Amino acid sequence: MSWDRDISIKNAAEIALMREAGRLNAEALAAVRELLQPGVTTADLNAAAEEILQKHGAYSPFKNYGRPPFPGSICVSINEQLVHGIPGNRKLQEGDIVSVDCGTVLEGFIGDSAFTAGVGEISPMARKLIEATEQALYVGIAMMRSGNKTGDVSAAIQQYVEAQGFHVVREYTGHGVGRKMHEGPQVPNYGTPGTGVLLRPGMTIALEPMVLIGTHRTRVLSNQWTVVSADGSLTAHQEHSVAITEGDPLVLTVP
Ligand code: MG
Ligand code: MG
């Protein structure tokens, strides 16, 4: 939980800027979602997101992030790939489920959001997984209120997902977001109510349930980025950047 020292509280003007970054990020994700059909390559999806960002003088914080530098502006993770899939020549196929994670830097502030959707007809189990992951995000967001703790959010997500018969990842977490892509506090997708960091107005957090059908275990492919389920079962990922306010949580990464 080393990021918990790196919490930055945003004022109203900063949250307004983050809302604009989030709005643009939503626009880029919507453009990608429209392209999801058999035969489209993951590089095509990346290009569509980049075009939207560039048109508005923005860019993705993912590009060249880390070691080895991440080559894409979005992450595209298919089926057993949970997160950090690298865009390339792979073509989408009927029945795939595709997770798209996009970041936007606009005027120095970052929006970070992800969705999972099917290509054409998908299996009933895949549909249930996607719906549970999306619902888990909203269950978590509902707990993002001043006075609650990060453990309240984490526990709500874990309890919901496990009640659906699925599993939450352990190694990858939600995180504060702002001028940096990863700030404090860390918000895991599992936890204990009443523990962790106290949520206060002005905190901005990217909450991101990552859900697996088989077990919670993952491994990283030899490209050093792509995270897959250890057992090869389907996975899904859903994310919004959210501001804690005096009242209801404010979702930043929506149109
Ligand atoms: Mg993300
Ligand atoms: Mg994130």
Side-chain angles (χ1 to χ4, degrees):
M1 302 277 165
S2 56
W3 302 342
D4 291 352
R5 288 186 295 266
D6 193 19
I7 295 169
S8 80
I9 300 295
K10 284 78 175 180
N11 62 31
E14 290 168 329
I15 286 176
L17 286 172
M18 288 192 67
R19 180 75 183 91
E20 288 311 306
R23 206 186 303 275
L24 181 55
N25 201 64
E27 189 181 326
L29 281 175
V32 171
R33 190 189 280 265
E34 271 187 29
L35 286 179
L36 294 183
Q37 51 183 302
V40 171
T41 70
T42 56
D44 294 334
L45 305 181
N46 187 67
E50 275 186 355
E51 187 184 332
I52 302 272
L53 299 189
Q54 283 170 6
K55 198 168 76 183
H56 292 85
Y59 62 94
S60 170
F62 299 177
K63 193 141 190 181
N64 296 319
Y65 183 87
R67 287 287 174 273
F70 189 81
S73 290
I74 62 174
C75 302
V76 186
S77 309
I78 300 174
N79 297 335
E80 81 285 358
Q81 299 176 351
L82 176 65
V83 287
H84 304 166
I86 298 175
N89 296 331
R90 181 167 176 176
K91 288 188 167 126
L92 304 185
Q93 294 183 13
E94 177 89 13
D96 281 342
I97 64 171
V98 184
S99 301
V100 180
D101 194 343
C102 187
T104 293
V105 186
L106 181 67
E107 312 239 0
F109 283 95
I110 292 175
D112 185 9
S113 178
F115 73 86
T116 300
V119 179
E121 277 299 307
I122 61 173
S123 70
M125 182 57 102
R127 186 163 305 286
K128 183 184 177 198
L129 173 70
I130 291 171
E131 287 170 2
T133 307
E134 189 165 7
Q135 191 56 35
L137 173 59
Y138 287 100
V139 163
I141 289 172
M143 299 301 285
M144 295 177 74
R145 304 187 74 88
S146 178
N148 282 352
K149 289 188 165 179
T150 53
D152 298 318
V153 179
S154 300
I157 290 171
Q158 181 180 19
Q159 284 166 18
Y160 178 80
V161 168
E162 292 181 352
Q164 307 305 306
F166 298 134
H167 305 270
V168 283
V169 77
R170 301 299 196 271
E171 297 92 341
Y172 306 92
T173 74
H175 51 91
V177 62
R179 289 190 182 276
K180 289 193 284 185
M181 185 157 67
H182 295 123
E183 302 181 349
Q186 213 167 15
V187 187
N189 293 305
Y190 68 98
T192 307
T195 65
V197 173
L198 186 67
L199 298 177
R200 289 179 286 147
M203 282 184 175
T204 46
I205 294 171
L207 195 64
E208 46 184 319
M210 297 164 224
V211 178
L212 306 90
I213 288 183
T215 78
H216 67 77
R217 292 195 172 79
T218 63
R219 65 188 177 88
V220 179
L221 298 185
S222 59
N223 66 25
Q224 298 182 56
W225 275 108
T226 309
V227 178
V228 299
S229 59
D231 65 355
S233 65
L234 289 180
T235 66
H237 177 209
Q238 200 83 29
E239 178 179 29
H240 272 310
S241 302
V242 181
I244 310 294
T245 75
E246 304 281 355
D248 294 336
L250 174 65
V251 180
L252 300 164
T253 41
V254 287

